[in-house]
Amino acid sequence: MTITKLLHHLAALLFLVGAFAPPSGAQILGKPVLTTAQTRAELMAFAPQGLAPGQPVWVALQLTHQPHWHSYWKNPGDSGLSTVLQWTLPAGVSASDIGWPIPQKIPLGNLVNYGYEGRVLLPVALTLSPEFKPLSDSLRVQLKASWLVCKLECIPEEGQFELTIPTRSSSAVNASIFEAAFAAQPTALNAANSQIEIVGSSLKFSISGLPASWRDQTLALFPETPGILNPASPLTQAWQGANWTAQLALSAQRSTSPSVLPLLLEYKNQGLRIEVPVQGTWPPVAQRSELSPALQAALQNNSTLAVSTLSLSAALLGALLGGLLLNLMPCVFPVLAIKVVNFARHADDRRSHRISGLAYSAGVILSFVALALLLLGLRAAGQSLGWGFQLQNPAVVAALAALFTLIALNLCGLFEFAQFLPSSWATFQARHPVLDSFLTGVLAVAVASPCSAPFMGASLGFAVSLPAPQALFIFATLGFGLALPYLLASFVPAFARVLPRPGPWMLHLRHFLAFPMFATVAWLVWVLGQQSGIDGAGALLALLVLLGAFLWSLTLRGPSRLFSTSLLLALAAFSLWTLGPNVVKLSENSRAEVSDSLWQPWQPGRVEQLLENKQTVFVDFSAAWCVSCQYNKTTTLSDPALLAEFRRKNINLLRADWTRRDPAITAALRQLGRNGVPVYVIYQHAKPPLLLSEILSVGEVRAALATLPN
């Protein structure tokens, strides 16, 4: 019995279930608490007098950071992103802005950020209008929150929370937490007799009306408006009687010139907020949005170039060629080889060959379209996903490892499905050859989709920016390219005639094909190790061994079969219960480490900082589950002569690891017009990014480096 008799059922089920599973890191509604390796986030409520118009009602997101990690204030300072709260509330209920607590200055090298360490509560007041008519005895509050948490590296985090607040009773279990937060809130200070004067490239502050206990003390100043002042510059301050004066340099990248500047002054954890008018003429502003001028211009240039040069016809051609090259992937080739062996069994049945080719092609194309629909739908819903997103989920990686273990054990002859399956299943292929070929196409897509082949990157990146019909056409063309070799073989009689006649060689080939499948399992276990750590990889290996032992027990006869299968089934269930959580749990240290001292981990904003210092940057966007990425990493990007040239030209090497879901990396890829990995790009000051090909060669990189100034 061939492998396709049952495994296509498993492949189709796994592919559909795995692909439609929530991406790793996605959160589920209905939970007021979310815990990651860096933070614990909890949605809280405080309604001491119940819910009624005119009564105080508060909700808040509390972030508890692990030691040395921090999130950001409304003005994050030199780098970072402030926390964003998006509320979904019933009619008649509105939410205020965040009541930001007093931040602290967090130095990072020569940068200064404003944010929070330890525990912080971000309160928001809810206003109930007379139109609020609760449909039940509670108020349902939903929150979508996103925040950036940083130590040396930065990790974007997000969560969706839900909380119900009773309408007729008090909600005061968190009263002490809220009251402490209210006590720590800055209070308003009258701006009378206070002013800010523009003096050259700095601002001079003169603040009056401060508490007498603050006089002659050193104060901290926090500007609420980002990008106006330079947080890292020294604050010179002095007291002139009851007036506090200070001077602080303007940011070189200032992009606005406000007439009033809101400030927060702090002394011994007490804060005063004041809105002070600005006098004088502002210096010319830098042409800057959220990025430095050089990087902003480069990205705009690159985006314009991609749209102008990559027409729909070029994208379709790239997708077709990329799909053809996917057949050479180590996982896809054995699947295709298994299918081609069928030609030898039925060399003269041309009609069956053609039907099989069409059904296989339909399975491939429809699977690519289904993946594209899911990807486009999730992205429209706000998920930051790219091509190959399903391999960012440890559960999908583990399920694929189990599937390929089944395939390999069957190919090497450990068991035959006919031994323990009902006869109706055992004759599935003979009774349903069309469906059998269709599911083979599904299996091919399941193992081919995680990586980008040459010509694919630009086409997929272009596709996601198009309207849905055109985008789906590009994805379907990619599937057609993958299916084309087998489809052509099905319609070319000469192909079947050149194959050897059925004989012992078919059994030898079957046994040989087991080894690429075992190699695929080893790769998947390694990928899982990058996500769930060494404990997750070890647990998966143990479960796969038990899977093999259980399949072996099914080949026994007599009482020994019942005893062995019962014992191994019980052991497998216990192991799955105890070891399973280690497999799907994302480890804090599961990111791929940068092994070469030349390479540094990519972080949001790091490229921008280096370009502002007129440095050149080479970024490797890769993932552990991407075969092309690993091939390039161990060949071209490990070449001693090439690394020496990187050193000689003082090029900064950054590696962006997309093994796990990372919205920041997804956004960076999208800015480059890409939707998957591998992506290799050279950033230069005041120039557009230079994108290299997916299958990288030393010659190509050296040619690109030769164009750079020494």
Side-chain angles (χ1 to χ4, degrees), residues 171-192:
S171 298
V173 65
N174 298 311
S176 60
I177 298 175
F178 277 86
E179 289 168 356
F182 296 153
Q185 288 281 316
T187 56
L189 178 66
N190 194 323

Side-chain angles (χ1 to χ4, degrees), residues 475-497:
F475 281 99
T477 304
L478 176 62
F480 180 71
L482 177 62
L484 187 57
Y486 183 74
L487 183 63
L488 289 176
S490 302
F491 278 81
V492 178
F495 180 80
R497 288 197 295 267

Side-chain angles (χ1 to χ4, degrees), residues 412-477:
C412 68
L414 176 68
F415 71 96
E416 298 290 346
F417 288 106
Q419 294 176 273
F420 47 84
L421 287 178
S423 59
S424 59
W425 283 49
T427 59
F428 170 79
Q429 185 183 28
R431 293 184 296 109
H432 304 286
V434 175
L435 183 57
D436 175 77
S437 296
F438 178 88
L439 293 176
T440 304
V442 176
L443 176 62
V445 175
V447 299
S449 59
C451 272
S452 292
F455 307 105
M456 274 182 59
S459 296
L460 294 183
F462 182 64
V464 297
S465 66
L466 294 174
Q470 297 180 35
L472 294 178
F473 190 31
I474 291 178
F475 281 99
T477 304

Side-chain angles (χ1 to χ4, degrees), residues 93 149 186 231 235 273 315 383 412 455 472 595 654 663:
V93 182
V149 59
L235 176 69
R273 183 183 183 276
Q383 296 286 348
C412 68
F455 307 105
L472 294 178
S595 57
L654 304 181

